[in-house]
Every structure is written in structure tokens, then in C-alpha cells.
């Protein structure tokens, strides 16, 4: 699973990229929408004035892995059960698109970063999302026995200059994992037998080693001098491949330890806790009382009739929350129109208000002006 860094703009480019069948390489295997309405999702993204408007990402499989349509449906439902734990279907929107042109199975997703019923900011994959979603990913990989991207026994040999990028765009934690995964591949192929071999491999990859300790080494980029410390496991001076190559935990490779049934059981417990935590947060931030929910349902029903018979776009019932999406678009468009009218009225009334203030000031400067008292004859 990968979450892209994009998320600004009106969403048209992101949606078009996912569904465009005319892009190079897609002629024989065009994208296929699995769930959601591209046009509605684009409009929901474009309806907010916030800087960050959507989250996009991809679930990707190895070429040998097979994913059936039935499995795709279960994956989407289980993903949404995790991402939107504690929320109702009419509170969020998501677009799922299958890609297969690259020679392996991919499921792309786009999620507007807006809670639909209250118009609050919502980020389904906030910074540090890996901590929660990796549990979900690992559980599916274990259940289906799919190839894991972090398994050195199933990873291909990497090219150091292409696979390891030491620059400011990489987050430190991600870079550490990238370096370790690269070295793990070499260990699984028998290239590295001890720490000295690892250091030699890092030097060939473009790093220098300014410091070494009993339990760590420090890498320095030859490009800009940035440093990063790698600690424990294979970076300890005492590490030997013949003793620890089968101990996947030393390679910081997730999902190992115990039997497959034990790993699945452990991951299920961890995922249950992840969902409980996410549900608690989502209910606190986006939860609705019963009375409010009923009132909203009645209001949505009236708006849905208006959208169906007088709106520019017909209501589509492809998903259970599509009516709510149409209602949200209509409400925001009406709100924007009302705001523009109000601003115009305020602008037009300014000269009149200024004249009134001037006249009032002139009246106050007249010393001989008589004060009229109600109920008494004047003159």
C-alpha cells in the first residue's frame, strides 16, 4: 500500500489520471471503475476551499498474485471498515479504480478529505498512516499468502543507485527502511555475511561511513553530506548472517514470527485495536446524535427530490451514499451563491451608509439647531 503526496487542486487531474483509458500503455488494459462515481467525487473535492482536498493511493500486488472480483469487493469493504471506522456510509466518499496495464494488479483509491454531513476536514490517511494500515496490509497478505514487499526471500535484487535515494524529499524513517530492505535482499542472496560486507555494500551504493559503534553505523551521503544512524540488528558489530539470516525480526521485516496461524491471530487482534481507536476518534469528531441524524435524513430527502427533478445532474443510486453526495454539492453551491449575493449587497450599500454618516456628523456640528422634544409644541 502506498499513499501519494498529492492532495491539492480541484481533483480533476487526479480523477482523470485514474480513469483515462487513452494514456500510453492502457490501450489493451484500460482502467475499470470498481466503486464510486468519478464525476461526483471530482465535484466533492472541488466543493471545498481548504488547501488539502483529497487523499489518493494504491494497493499493489506482485505479478504472481491473483485477485478475483469477489476478493476486490471484500478488500474495498474491509479497507473502508478500517479507514472510516465509526462512520456511516453517507459521511464519506471514495473512488476505487482497477489498473492492470503494468503487468500486475493494482487498486487505486481517491478519498475527498471532507466529512460530507458536517463539511469538516477529514484525512483518512494522516501522517504516520503506515502504523495502522500496515497491520491491515499484513493481515491480508498472511490470509491470502500473497507476496510481501518487505520479505527478502521474495524480493528481487535491487540496483543501489536506483533504489536508494538520499535526499530531503525522503522521510528519515522511510529512508531507513529502504536501506534495510535493500541490504536484506543482499543477505537473502548470500552477498553479505557480516557487518563489514554490509559497509562495503553501502560504500558501493554511494555512502561513506564516518562512524561505527558496537551496535550502530552512521551513513553519510556523498551528495550533500546528510547523515543517518542505523542501529541494532544487522548493523551491530557482532551480526553474522549464518546465525541470524532466518530471524526476520533482525531484518526489520514485518509479519514474521511463529506459525502462520499465530501471525494471523496476532494481526487480527492488532487490527481490532486499530479500528477501535479510529472509531473512537471519528465518533468524537464526526459523530451525530440520533435527533440530529433524523433531522438530517428528512432534510436530505427533500433535497434529493429537488436534485432529481430540478437539479442539473440526475441522482445516481450506484452506491448507498450517492444521494448524500448530490445533496452536499447542492448545499455548497447554494451557500456559495448566497455568500456572493450577500457580498454584492454589502458592497452596494456602502455609499449610502457613508452618506448617512456624513449627514449625522454635520447635524452634530450645528450649535444653533433646536432639539425637538416629543409631546411639546415647537416654535
Amino acid at each position: 500500500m502506498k499513499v501519494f503526496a498529492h492532495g491539492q487542486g480541484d481533483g480533476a487531474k487526479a480523477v482523470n489520471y485514474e480513469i483515462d483509458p487513452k494514456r500510453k500503455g492502457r490501450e489493451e488494459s484500460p482502467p475499470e471503475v470498481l466503486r464510486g462515481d468519478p464525476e461526483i467525487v471530482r465535484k466533492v473535492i472541488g466543493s471545498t476551499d481548504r488547501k488539502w482536498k483529497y487523499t489518493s493511493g494504491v494497493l499493489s500486488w506482485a505479478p504472481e498474485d491473483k485477485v478475483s472480483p469477489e476478493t476486490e469487493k471484500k478488500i474495498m469493504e474491509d479497507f473502508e471498515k478500517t479507514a472510516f471506522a465509526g462512520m456511516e456510509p453517507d459521511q464519506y466518499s471514495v473512488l476505487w479504480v482497477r489498473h492492470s496495464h503494468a503487468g500486475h494488479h493494482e487498486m487505486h483509491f481517491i478519498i475527498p478529505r471532507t466529512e460530507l454531513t458536517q463539511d469538516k476536514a477529514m484525512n483518512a490517511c494522516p501522517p504516520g498512516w503506515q502504523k495502522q494500515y500496515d497491520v491491515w496490509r499484513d493481515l491480508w497478505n498472511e490470509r491470502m499468502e500473497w507476496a510481501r514487499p518487505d520479505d527478502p526471500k521474495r524480493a528481487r535484487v535491487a540496483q543501489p543507485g536506483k533504489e536508494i535515494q538520499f535526499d530531503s524529499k525522503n522521510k528519515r524513517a522511510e529512508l531507513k527502511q529502504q536501506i534495510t530492505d535493500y541490504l536484506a535482499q543482499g543477505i537473502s542472496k548470500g552477498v553479505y555475511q557480516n557487518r563489514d560486507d554490509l559497509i562495503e555494500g553501502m560504500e558501493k551504493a554511494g555512502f561513506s561511513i564516518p562512524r561505527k559503534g558496537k551496535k550502530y553505523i552512521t551513513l553519510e551521503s556523498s551528495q550533500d553530506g546528510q547523515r543517518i544512524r542505523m542501529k541494532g540488528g544487522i548493523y551491530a558489530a557482532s551480526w553474522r548472517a549464518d546465525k541470524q539470516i532466518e530471524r526476520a525480526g533482525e531484518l526489520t521485516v514485518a509479519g514474521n514470527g511463529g506459525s502462520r496461524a499465530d501471525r494471523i491471530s496476532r494481526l487480527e487482534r492488532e487490527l481490532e485495536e486499530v479500528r477501535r481507536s479510529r472509531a473512537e476518534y471519528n465518533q468524537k469528531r464526526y459523530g451525530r446524535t440520533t435527533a440530529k441524524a433524523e433531522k438530517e435524513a428528512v432534510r436530505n430527502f427533500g433535497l434529493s427530490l429537488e436534485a432529481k427533478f430540478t437539479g442539473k445532474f440526475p441522482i445516481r443510486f450506484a452506491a448507498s451514499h450517492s444521494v448524500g453526495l448530490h445533496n452536499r454539492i447542492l448545499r455548497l453551491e447554494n451557500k456559495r451563491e448566497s455568500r456572493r449575493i450577500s457580498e454584492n449587497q454589502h458592497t452596494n450599500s456602502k455609499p449610502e451608509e457613508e452618506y448617512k454618516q456624513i449627514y449625522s456628523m454635520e447635524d452634530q456640528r450645528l450649535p444653533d439647531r433646536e432639539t425637538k422634544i416629543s409631546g411639546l409644541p415647537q416654535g
Side-chain angles (χ1 to χ4, degrees):
M1 174 178 172
K2 182 177 182 179
V3 174
F4 304 126
H6 314 299
Q8 301 180 34
D10 61 7
K13 289 184 179 180
V15 172
N16 291 340
Y17 168 79
E18 299 296 351
I19 65 175
D20 186 4
K22 297 181 180 180
R23 295 182 72 91
K24 186 176 180 180
R26 299 181 180 181
E27 296 85 358
E28 296 183 0
S29 300
E32 184 174 346
V33 175
L34 300 174
R35 178 176 293 185
D37 188 312
E39 182 65 15
I40 290 179
V41 169
R42 184 186 67 78
K43 286 184 173 295
V44 173
I45 293 172
S47 68
T48 180
D49 295 327
R50 287 184 285 269
K51 179 179 179 180
W52 292 97
K53 302 176 184 294
Y54 66 92
T55 295
S56 63
V58 61
L59 308 180
S60 182
W61 283 262
E64 65 268 23
D65 291 332
K66 304 301 178 184
V67 186
S68 67
E70 293 77 12
T71 301
E72 286 179 330
K73 182 179 180 181
K74 292 178 180 178
I75 289 172
M76 290 185 288
E77 292 173 351
D78 202 51
F79 180 93
E80 293 178 26
K81 185 178 179 181
T82 301
F84 310 111
M87 300 177 68
E88 298 297 329
D90 69 333
Q91 291 185 273
Y92 62 87
S93 175
V94 58
L95 174 67
W96 287 96
V97 183
R98 178 200 299 139
H99 285 192
S100 57
H101 62 276
H104 60 273
H105 202 96
E106 292 182 350
M107 291 174 62
H108 290 248
F109 58 87
I110 299 180
I111 306 171
R113 289 175 61 161
T114 299
E115 192 280 331
L116 300 178
T117 64
Q118 303 175 59
D119 194 25
K120 291 183 178 180
M122 178 191 71
N123 188 359
C125 301
W129 59 268
Q130 297 92 334
K131 184 177 181 180
Q132 295 184 332
Y133 285 94
D134 282 0
V135 175
W136 177 84
R137 177 203 64 189
D138 292 343
L139 179 56
W140 271 96
N141 284 339
E142 288 288 358
R143 284 174 174 171
M144 306 300 293
E145 297 187 88
W146 286 327
R148 297 198 318 269
D150 50 9
D151 187 346
K153 295 180 181 179
R154 305 185 74 168
R156 67 180 187 274
V157 177
Q159 296 295 323
K162 295 182 179 179
E163 297 295 330
I164 300 179
Q165 299 294 327
F166 196 102
D167 56 46
S168 58
K169 294 182 179 180
N170 277 307
K171 296 180 180 178
R172 189 165 293 267
E174 294 178 353
L175 177 60
K176 285 184 176 182
Q177 188 62 54
Q178 189 180 29
I179 292 171
T180 300
D181 288 345
Y182 164 71
L183 293 175
Q185 295 173 36
I187 293 170
S188 68
K189 298 294 182 180
V191 177
Y192 309 125
Q193 298 297 322
N194 52 48
R195 192 176 75 165
D196 289 340
D197 291 342
L198 298 179
I199 291 174
E200 183 179 353
M202 286 291 91
E203 290 174 341
K204 290 180 179 179
F207 296 93
S208 60
I209 315 297
R211 298 189 66 181
K212 294 183 289 185
K214 290 184 178 181
K215 296 184 177 181
Y216 74 90
I217 61 174
T218 298
L219 304 179
E220 181 177 301
S221 170
S222 59
Q223 299 176 355
D224 53 17
Q226 291 189 68
R227 293 187 176 189
I228 186 169
R229 177 170 289 190
M230 312 295 289
K231 298 186 294 183
I234 61 176
Y235 304 105
S238 60
W239 178 79
R240 296 291 184 277
D242 57 350
K243 295 180 181 180
Q244 297 184 340
I245 191 170
E246 295 301 326
R247 295 176 58 187
E250 295 292 342
L251 305 180
T252 63
V253 176
N256 291 282
S259 67
R260 177 167 169 265
D262 290 339
R263 293 194 297 270
I264 291 175
S265 179
R266 173 179 57 81
L267 289 168
E268 287 176 339
R269 292 193 299 271
E270 291 179 5
L271 183 58
E272 183 178 351
E273 176 58 24
V274 167
R275 286 174 173 166
R276 185 203 61 78
S277 176
R278 292 182 68 88
E280 182 178 338
Y281 172 83
N282 287 336
Q283 288 173 352
K284 183 177 180 180
R285 179 168 174 78
Y286 310 114
R288 296 176 293 182
T289 62
T290 302
K292 184 176 181 180
E294 292 177 352
K295 183 178 180 180
E296 185 73 14
V298 173
R299 185 165 180 267
N300 282 348
F301 179 73
L303 288 172
S304 69
L305 293 178
E306 179 183 353
K308 182 175 182 180
F309 295 109
T310 63
K312 294 181 180 179
F313 302 96
I315 291 181
R316 302 181 185 181
F317 295 94
S320 61
H321 55 275
S322 59
V323 174
L325 300 185
H326 273 287
N327 294 340
R328 168 174 161 68
I329 294 169
L330 287 174
R331 289 199 298 271
L332 289 176
E333 289 179 348
N334 291 337
K335 186 185 298 183
R336 284 187 171 185
E337 185 65 24
S338 299
R339 186 161 59 246
R340 285 196 296 267
I341 293 174
S342 176
E343 289 174 352
N344 291 337
Q345 291 177 344
H346 180 71
T347 302
N348 295 335
S349 65
K350 278 187 177 180
E352 183 179 350
E353 293 175 356
E354 291 176 356
Y355 294 149
K356 289 181 180 180
Q357 291 177 0
I358 294 173
Y359 294 151
S360 176
M361 293 171 63
E362 289 294 334
D363 290 343
Q364 292 176 8
R365 286 199 292 267
L366 295 175
D368 57 343
R369 188 180 183 92
E370 295 182 351
T371 303
K372 295 184 179 182
I373 302 177
S374 176
L376 296 178
Q378 306 299 321

